[in-house]
Amino acid sequence: MSFFERDYREIITKAVIGKGKKFTESTHTISPSHRPTSILGCWVINHIYNAKKKGEHVEVSGSYDVNVWYSYNDNTKTEVVTERVNYCDLVKLSIKDDNCIHDDVEVIAKVVQQPNCLEANITANGQKIVVEVEREFTVDVIGETKLCVKVDPHGCDKDEDYEYELSSDDFSTIETDFLPSSSSDDDKHD
């Protein structure tokens, strides 16, 4: 048996084997039913997404609704236009574990910044609305990996677990006056 085999062990465990983060700004062109005069508000709702590993990246795909409240007819009427937007972000894995045992992995994607409207403007020809949206994700890839740990040649010190054991003298100093006496309990039931 070699020196290495006696002092080290290989352990297979689940761990984070890849990490990544991506910030994205997207531009969407919205086509309202009327020629807009001014933008009164813009918000993003109904965000859904899923993530899966694709090669050296994680693909986060999803969709959300862009709602634009605008005025038309020389600011005499208003309307909200809603458009569903689909996206696909490739998140590069900046931290990777090369000791991963197989490709059966779990991907966890978390939203750092929900899709949010940064700016909404009427196009130069005055017919459409251009909306800028930001979003940000972090991803963790979890899989089985191999760890190498050093083994203590003397084993575990069994007495170490009992270093903080209480003695019977320690129990005698515990204050027990907060406990009701049995005679006072009888008085309450009368």
Side-chain angles (χ1 to χ4, degrees):
M1 183 179 276
S2 73
F3 174 76
F4 179 80
E5 290 172 349
R6 286 188 310 243
D7 292 343
Y8 292 89
R9 297 285 188 275
E10 288 183 334
I11 297 175
I12 296 174
T13 186
K14 278 194 166 194
V16 175
I17 59 167
K19 281 184 156 308
K21 186 175 186 178
K22 182 164 187 182
F23 175 80
T24 305
E25 285 186 12
S26 301
T27 302
H28 309 296
T29 303
I30 310 296
S31 301
S33 53
H34 305 283
R35 184 182 180 96
T37 305
S38 60
I39 306 296
L40 304 173
C42 182
W43 60 98
V44 179
I45 61 171
N46 299 328
H47 181 219
I48 57 170
Y49 64 93
N50 62 49
K52 57 186 168 187
K53 188 171 183 294
K54 291 240 177 161
E56 298 296 311
H57 295 82
V58 169
E59 182 182 272
V60 180
S61 56
S63 62
Y64 47 80
D65 293 334
V66 176
N67 295 282
V68 180
W69 181 31
Y70 69 99
S71 67
Y72 63 97
N73 201 15
D74 290 326
N75 289 322
T76 60
K77 296 183 180 185
T78 67
E79 184 176 77
V80 175
V81 60
T82 300
E83 202 162 300
R84 189 84 177 148
V85 173
N86 296 306
Y87 67 88
C88 182
D89 292 340
L90 286 179
V91 182
K92 185 177 179 185
L93 297 175
S94 57
I95 299 172
K96 293 178 278 187
D97 181 352
D98 294 329
N99 294 314
C100 186
I101 295 171
H102 50 75
D103 290 334
D104 184 20
V105 296
E106 177 185 355
V107 177
I108 299 172
K110 293 181 183 173
V111 179
V112 176
Q113 171 64 60
Q114 284 286 351
N116 180 47
C117 178
L118 294 173
E119 192 172 358
N121 293 306
I122 300 169
T123 58
N125 69 7
Q127 295 293 332
K128 297 184 179 189
I129 299 168
V130 176
V131 177
E132 284 185 46
V133 175
E134 66 177 352
R135 62 184 176 269
E136 186 173 14
F137 289 95
T138 60
V139 296
D140 289 333
V141 179
I142 298 168
E144 287 190 349
T145 188
K146 197 183 294 185
L147 302 176
C148 187
V149 296
K150 185 170 174 50
V151 177
D152 187 340
H154 305 292
C156 296
D157 183 5
K158 297 190 184 342
D159 293 333
E160 192 175 289
D161 291 342
Y162 302 103
E163 186 176 326
Y164 299 105
E165 188 175 297
L166 293 174
S167 69
S168 59
D169 291 337
D170 293 325
F171 286 113
S172 66
T173 61
I174 295 175
E175 182 63 47
T176 60
D177 286 345
F178 63 89
L179 298 174
S181 67
S182 59
S183 64
S184 63
D185 283 344
D186 294 337
D187 294 338
K188 291 179 184 175
H189 298 292
D190 290 338

